[in-house]
Amino acid sequence: MIAPLDADDLWFEDKLRKQVDLLESSEPQVSLVYCWSVHMDGDDRLTGHWCSAAATDQVLVPLVLRNLLGNASTPLIRRSFLDKVGLYDESLRSEAAEATADWDLYLRLASISEFRVVPEFLMGYRLQAGNMSSDLEAIYRAYKVVMQRTRHRHADLPEELFRWSEAEFEFYLALLGAHYTGEWNAGFGWFKRALRTDPSLALQPRFYQRGLEMLLERLGMSRRRHSPRIGPSCRQADLRPMYRTIARKKKLSLDPFARRVSRYS
C-alpha cells in the first residue's frame, strides 16, 4: 500500500489506520481509499473550507467533474494497481502541468477500478501564498492539460460533463485567489469566468455564499483569524461544526454536484 504525503500537509493520528482497515476489508477491485480533509493556512488555523466528497465504487464521472480527493495527501492506494496504470506522469512536467499530476493519477485509477471513502476529516491540507496551489494561472493550465488527456482516453463521455468540470474548477480558483493568495481581482475574475462557463451556477445558493465570503474577506471581516489551530492530534470533536454543515446540506439536498453525477451514472 502507498500513501503519499506532501511536505506542507498534515495527517491526523488515525488516518492510516482507518484507511488500511477499510482497504484490507474491501473487494480486490478497490484500488484506493480516500478520506475527508480540512483546509488550513500557514499558521495551522482552520480556514472554514474543506473537502468532503462521498463518491464510491465507480467514480470516473464524479472525478471528472471535481477532484474528489482534493489534494495529493488524501489517498491510500493498493500498489498492484499502480503497477497497472503507472505512477505520477512525469511527462506532465514538460507541459508545466505537474500541479494536477495527482488528479491525473486518480483518473487513471478510476478507469480500471473502484474507490472507497472514510467519511471523516483525517488530514489537513495547507493552502497559503507561495506554495504551488497559489499560482492560479499555472494551475488552470495544468487542469486543461489533464482534462484534454482524459477526453482523449474517454471519448464516450459527453462534452457537457467537461464544461461543468471547467466551471467547477474556475469556481475553485476563485476561492484560492480570494482567500489564500490575496489576489482579489484575480479571484473575482475566476468567479465571473465560472459563471460564463456555466450560467446555471447563478441558480445555486453556493454561488452567492461564496461571493459573500469573498466580500467579507476583502473587507477584513473574515472569522478565519479566530479559528483554532490544528495538529496531528486533532480530535473529531473539534470539527463538529463542519460535520453539522455537511449533514444539513445532505438533508436539504443542496448539492447540485450529486444531481449532475446521477445523470451519467
Side-chain angles (χ1 to χ4, degrees):
M1 298 180 186
I2 304 295
L5 175 62
D6 277 356
D8 288 341
D9 297 338
L10 182 69
W11 285 348
F12 301 160
E13 289 179 347
D14 290 337
K15 176 186 183 294
L16 282 181
R17 179 182 62 80
K18 291 184 176 183
Q19 288 181 293
V20 167
D21 288 348
L22 180 54
L23 187 56
E24 287 184 337
S25 63
S26 296
E27 299 82 352
Q29 68 269 24
V30 176
S31 67
L32 183 151
V33 170
Y34 66 100
C35 64
W36 294 354
S37 58
V38 294
H39 292 184
M40 61 185 186
D41 63 17
D43 296 321
D44 293 344
R45 293 189 181 279
L46 296 174
T47 68
H49 300 107
W50 59 84
C51 185
S52 57
T56 61
D57 301 327
Q58 300 290 336
V59 300
L60 180 61
V61 167
L63 192 56
V64 168
L65 275 172
R66 183 188 298 172
N67 184 352
L68 303 171
L69 284 69
N71 58 77
S73 301
T74 302
L76 176 70
I77 306 171
R78 208 186 296 267
R79 183 166 185 168
S80 59
F81 283 91
L82 294 176
D83 294 335
K84 297 176 182 178
V85 304
L87 304 176
Y88 297 117
D89 189 342
E90 295 185 3
S91 70
L92 290 171
R93 186 178 299 276
S94 65
E95 298 185 65
E98 61 268 30
T100 49
D102 57 325
W103 198 351
D104 174 71
L105 175 60
Y106 307 152
L107 286 163
R108 285 183 279 126
L109 286 167
S111 299
I112 65 167
S113 65
E114 296 182 3
F115 287 14
R116 296 286 186 270
V117 60
V118 178
E120 296 181 33
F121 293 109
L122 297 177
M123 65 149 299
Y125 176 46
R126 192 182 310 279
L127 285 164
Q128 59 181 332
N131 65 8
M132 183 179 290
S133 296
S134 66
D135 190 342
L136 305 183
E137 289 294 341
I139 297 172
Y140 180 70
R141 290 192 299 270
Y143 161 82
K144 294 292 285 185
V145 169
V146 167
M147 282 302 146
Q148 286 169 2
R149 293 184 176 197
T150 304
R151 271 192 177 109
H152 180 73
R153 288 195 298 263
H154 301 282
D156 57 316
L157 292 178
E159 187 64 27
E160 181 181 47
L161 189 64
F162 291 96
R163 179 174 61 83
W164 287 342
S165 172
E166 185 165 1
E168 287 288 336
F169 198 71
E170 290 166 340
F171 200 54
Y172 170 69
L173 292 180
L175 169 70
L176 288 185
H179 288 281
Y180 302 110
T181 72
E183 299 175 11
W184 297 103
N185 291 337
F188 280 103
W190 288 109
F191 198 65
K192 291 185 289 186
R193 284 179 67 168
L195 184 60
R196 286 197 299 269
T197 302
D198 180 12
S200 71
L201 283 173
L203 302 176
Q204 301 174 19
R206 64 188 179 126
F207 180 80
Y208 301 97
Q209 179 184 356
R210 179 67 51 80
L212 179 60
E213 289 176 354
M214 292 167 65
L215 179 60
L216 292 176
E217 185 83 19
R218 183 70 179 92
L219 296 174
M221 299 171 64
S222 170
R223 292 179 295 177
R224 189 194 333 171
R225 70 193 64 182
H226 305 298
S227 298
R229 285 191 171 92
I230 59 173
S233 59
C234 179
R235 300 173 303 168
Q236 295 300 308
D238 298 330
L239 307 173
R240 281 175 183 166
M242 298 179 185
Y243 284 110
R244 286 196 293 267
T245 299
I246 293 167
R248 183 170 64 251
K249 288 183 177 180
K250 183 177 181 180
K251 183 177 181 179
L252 296 175
S253 300
L254 291 179
D255 187 2
F257 176 75
R259 293 195 293 273
R260 288 182 168 180
V261 168
S262 67
R263 290 181 60 173
Y264 298 107
S265 301

